[in-house]
Amino acid sequence: MRNPTSPASLQGPRTTSWRMRLVFIMLVAVAVAVVFVTNRLLTDRFTESTRNRAELRLVLYSGNLLSELRQNAVVPQLLARDPTLISALNTGDYAQSTQRLISFLEEIGAASLTMLDRDGRTVAATDRSLLGQSHRQAPYYVDALRSKDTVFKVLESETGQYRFTYSRRVESQNQVVGVIVVDVDLAKYERAWAGISDAVLVADSEGRIILATEPRWRGLSEAEALAREPVDSAIERAIQATQSWTALPADAYVRGEAVMRVEGRVAFRGWRIASFTTYASVREKVNGFLALEIMGFAILLALAFWVMNRKTVVRMAVFQRESAELRALNARLQREIAERERVQENLAVAEQTLAQSSKLAALGEMSAAVSHELNQPLAAMKTYLAGARLLMSRNRPDEALSSFQRIDDLLERMGSITRQLKSYARQSGDTFEPVNLGDALSSALSMMEPQLRQRKVNITRTLPEEPVRVMADRVRVEQVMINLLRNAMDATEGVDEPTIEILLAAGETAVLTVRDNGHGIDNFDNLFEPFYTTKQPGDGVGLGLAISSGIVNDLGGRLTARNASAGGAVFEVQLPILTEETRAAE
């Protein structure tokens, strides 16, 4: 009997333990490598994205500054040529000068406008509190007197802010009579930048900061401004380095926080603009991805421990249970496959039956439609034959030939009707062409002439002077008109003075309206349904309006019906009109 504590018996557990340790070490190594690479790649990517956005903002900021400076640069030149201001300086009458400067200020958008006389005294200003003050020693006054061009000056005020002025002397008859001073409001950009970027500064050509979102920086160089930030202790710097380990080496520190410095150029007197953006957004994004990765690796490690600690017997039991379930599932799938095959066979038989039934239904509809549509041409042919027989008996063969020609036209039309009536069953049309609705209406009335004469129906037609054209098939359009006219004739049966009004109008669409003075429509729900009719058996099969509705829909229009307020029914056909531009495109 083998000793359970022999080396051979312990070899299996030891091998499993070493495997577990190896798998654990590999997972930890992979996790550290993935986190390190991810940190570097994402840091570079998000830092570059943040830098690009900061550079775009600097371009926008410098463009705004340059636009403001250029806009105000031309103001002194314009005001120095103002006749009213020159006259006030010559006469010494400044009663209206201040109000005139205020009116200019609203249009220009400058900070303030000031007019000085030849002695440097303020004689007009948009800020009335400055009236009477002397600017004789001010640089913008002295330099403006010495130069014939506009002078730009940057002056530091008592509050620590900088004042940006344009000044130009005013001449009258080659004599200097005063100076115009325009203050440019650049401080508004400081306030705007403070709400968007972390820190922004603008320095002149000498490196002196003249605009900054940090008020303490004004008047200093960039190095001096950053050196004035409080220095952190060694412990605080160590904690900060630990917290911001996902950031690249900092360009500078602002308020003790690492920032990214981006510099740009303002195309004005050598000015520079720089912004300082914190790495907070970069750290947040990178740390978020790293937290997800670390959590994922932690879950993987936990699952690895759980899987490797399972007993072999338990795994075998699971495998056997899964095998039994798979066998049962396989048997169930085979039964479902056999059942599905039987259902598919039954479905194929049902589809064949349904297809045959559909063919028979379509043939029935077509035969009924053909018989319905051919009644009208047959009745007209009967009338023409009777007229031709009478003419032949009276020895008038030339006039009889005219009747035979009409019968030939009717035969051609009957052939066209048998071809076109198929569209009701298969919902498809033939090639369309421009159709004049007025000509089609005349042809339809000619077809209905014998019945109209027999019934003594009063026909009223209202047509526009210009032709109304649509893109359609003329035979099908005439078919719709004949069905509507025949429906109106049937509706006026029994009326003392039957009247049918036909109105053709053209606007955004072509509209054909047929109105009768019959008894109106009782049932609108089934009006356009096939085989619905209110006539007596043998008088109609109820396909006229259904066929007409189908034809109008195929032509892109619609057929509607309503009862007139004065009595009778109104049927309206709306079709897309064919304009000259559409005809040219076609």
Side-chain angles (χ1 to χ4, degrees):
M1 184 175 180
R2 181 185 300 178
N3 187 1
T5 61
S6 63
S9 62
L10 295 177
Q11 185 176 3
R14 288 178 180 177
T15 303
T16 303
S17 177
W18 276 108
R19 288 179 179 175
M20 292 175 60
R21 294 177 183 178
L22 182 60
V23 171
F24 177 77
I25 293 173
M26 290 179 61
L27 282 175
V28 171
V30 170
V32 172
V34 170
V35 170
F36 179 82
V37 174
T38 304
N39 168 54
R40 178 54 55 187
L41 293 178
L42 292 180
T43 299
D44 293 342
R45 178 181 176 184
F46 291 137
T47 301
E48 186 65 21
S49 176
T50 303
R51 187 179 298 275
N52 291 336
R53 289 196 298 269
E55 291 175 353
L56 290 176
R57 284 198 299 268
L58 279 189
V59 173
L60 178 62
Y61 294 166
S62 62
N64 292 338
L65 284 176
L66 188 60
S67 176
E68 187 72 16
L69 290 169
R70 289 179 176 176
Q71 177 181 347
N72 288 273
V74 299
V75 176
Q77 184 177 1
L78 297 176
L79 295 182
R81 299 176 180 178
D82 185 77
T84 303
L85 298 180
I86 295 175
S87 175
L89 290 171
N90 287 329
T91 60
D93 182 12
Y94 307 109
Q96 302 297 327
S97 299
T98 296
Q99 185 61 35
R100 185 165 183 79
L101 292 180
I102 292 175
S103 65
F104 288 149
L105 183 67
E106 297 175 354
E107 298 177 359
I108 296 171
S112 65
L113 300 177
T114 307
M115 185 172 69
L116 311 178
D117 61 9
R118 63 171 56 92
D119 297 327
R121 184 174 57 89
T122 303
V123 295
T126 55
D127 186 1
R128 299 180 184 273
S129 62
L130 302 178
L131 294 176
Q133 293 184 3
S134 176
H135 300 265
R136 189 177 186 84
Q137 303 299 327
Y140 49 82
Y141 173 76
V142 175
D143 291 349
L145 293 179
R146 296 174 180 174
S147 175
K148 293 183 178 181
D149 299 326
T150 302
V151 177
F152 177 78
K153 290 294 180 180
V154 179
L155 303 176
E156 185 176 6
S157 63
E158 298 177 356
T159 61
Q161 291 186 344
Y162 279 86
R163 180 184 177 189
F164 307 89
T165 62
Y166 283 104
S167 59
R168 187 181 182 93
R169 67 185 187 184
V170 183
E171 295 181 354
S172 176
Q173 298 179 355
N174 296 327
Q175 298 292 329
V176 178
V177 295
V179 174
I180 292 294
V181 182
V182 179
D183 285 82
V184 184
D185 184 15
L186 298 184
K188 62 183 179 181
Y189 293 108
E190 291 181 332
R191 297 187 294 270
W193 297 340
I196 301 176
S197 300
D198 298 312
V200 181
L201 63 85
V202 177
D204 58 11
S205 59
E206 300 176 358
R208 179 183 55 174
I209 299 176
I210 54 179
L211 289 174
T213 55
E214 294 290 332
R216 297 171 297 176
W217 292 359
R218 299 192 191 103
L220 304 175
S221 64
E222 183 177 341
E224 294 173 348
L226 297 178
R228 295 186 58 176
E229 295 295 327
V231 180
D232 300 331
S233 65
I235 296 178
E236 291 174 340
R237 285 190 177 276
I239 295 175
Q240 184 182 26
T242 303
Q243 293 176 346
S244 60
W245 68 284
T246 59
L248 293 176
D251 297 333
Y253 284 87
V254 177
R255 293 190 294 272
E257 188 175 5
V259 294
M260 176 195 311
R261 182 182 181 277
V262 178
E263 183 179 2
R265 187 176 66 88
V266 181
F268 182 80
R269 297 177 179 267
W271 286 11
R272 295 181 301 103
I273 184 171
S275 69
F276 302 89
T277 305
T278 63
Y279 288 93
S281 60
V282 176
R283 289 196 297 270
E284 291 174 358
K285 295 178 181 178
V286 174
N287 291 340
F289 280 98
L290 295 182
L292 291 176
E293 288 185 352
I294 294 173
M295 182 176 64
F297 280 114
I299 294 174
L300 287 177
L301 288 174
L303 291 176
F305 277 115
W306 182 80
V307 171
M308 289 186 294
N309 288 331
R310 296 284 293 176
K311 299 295 183 180
T312 305
V313 178
V314 176
R315 290 200 299 268
M316 292 301 297
V318 172
F319 293 155
Q320 291 176 359
R321 184 171 61 253
E322 291 179 351
S323 178
E325 291 176 355
L326 288 175
R327 287 194 296 270
L329 178 61
N330 188 22
R332 187 164 62 253
L333 287 176
Q334 290 180 354
R335 291 193 298 269
E336 290 179 359
I337 290 173
E339 183 66 24
R340 187 179 295 273
E341 290 177 351
R342 289 194 296 270
V343 171
Q344 288 179 349
E345 293 176 356
N346 296 335
L347 181 60
V349 174
E351 288 177 350
Q352 293 178 357
T353 304
L354 180 59
Q356 187 65 23
S357 300
S358 299
K359 292 180 181 179
L360 293 175
L363 290 175
E365 290 183 9
M366 289 176 57
S367 62
V370 168
S371 63
H372 176 79
E373 292 297 328
L374 293 182
N375 283 335
Q376 184 66 32
L378 288 174
M381 288 172 59
K382 184 177 180 181
T383 302
Y384 288 137
L385 284 174
R389 185 183 300 110
L390 181 61
L391 292 172
M392 291 296 293
S393 64
R394 294 181 179 180
N395 196 17
R396 295 161 64 182
D398 295 337
E399 298 180 10
L401 286 176
S402 176
S403 298
F404 291 142
Q405 181 61 41
R406 292 186 179 182
I407 293 173
D408 184 67
D409 294 339
L410 290 175
L411 289 174
E412 180 64 25
R413 182 173 185 82
M414 290 170 66
S416 299
I417 289 174
T418 57
R419 290 192 302 270
Q420 296 297 335
L421 284 177
K422 296 178 182 179
S423 62
Y424 177 73
R426 51 190 168 92
Q427 295 296 324
S428 62
D430 298 329
T431 303
F432 293 164
E433 61 182 1
V435 176
N436 187 343
L437 292 183
D439 296 342
L441 180 60
S442 299
S443 179
L445 289 173
S446 176
M447 176 75 73
M448 296 291 296
E449 181 180 358
Q451 286 82 357
L452 294 172
R453 188 185 303 112
Q454 182 180 1
R455 285 282 314 278
K456 297 181 180 180
V457 178
N458 183 21
I459 300 294
T460 302
R461 284 188 294 178
T462 303
L463 305 180
E465 296 181 358
E466 298 294 331
V468 181
R469 292 185 174 87
V470 297
M471 186 64 69
D473 180 9
R474 176 162 178 168
V475 174
R476 301 175 71 185
V477 171
E478 293 177 2
Q479 182 179 350
V480 172
M481 294 178 177
I482 290 173
N483 286 337
L484 294 180
L485 291 172
R486 185 163 50 200
N487 186 74
M489 287 180 58
D490 295 339
T492 57
E493 187 175 359
V495 178
D496 294 337
E497 295 181 359
T499 302
I500 299 177
E501 297 179 4
I502 303 174
L503 172 63
L504 180 60
E508 295 181 357
T509 59
V511 181
L512 175 66
T513 304
V514 179
R515 176 181 176 182
D516 60 68
N517 60 344
H519 301 291
I521 303 171
D522 297 331
N523 187 359
F524 285 94
D525 296 335
N526 301 323
L527 185 62
F528 297 108
E529 294 295 330
F531 304 107
Y532 172 77
T533 180
T534 57
K535 302 176 184 178
Q536 297 297 325
D539 293 341
V541 295
L543 286 174
L545 291 179
I547 293 175
S548 300
S549 178
I551 291 174
V552 173
N553 290 334
D554 290 343
L555 298 179
R558 63 173 184 171
L559 174 61
T560 59
R562 67 179 188 275
N563 285 326
S565 58
V570 179
F571 287 86
E572 188 174 87
V573 179
Q574 296 183 8
L575 293 174
I577 195 168
L578 182 63
T579 60
E580 294 298 330
E581 292 79 2
T582 307
R583 293 184 61 189
E586 291 292 339

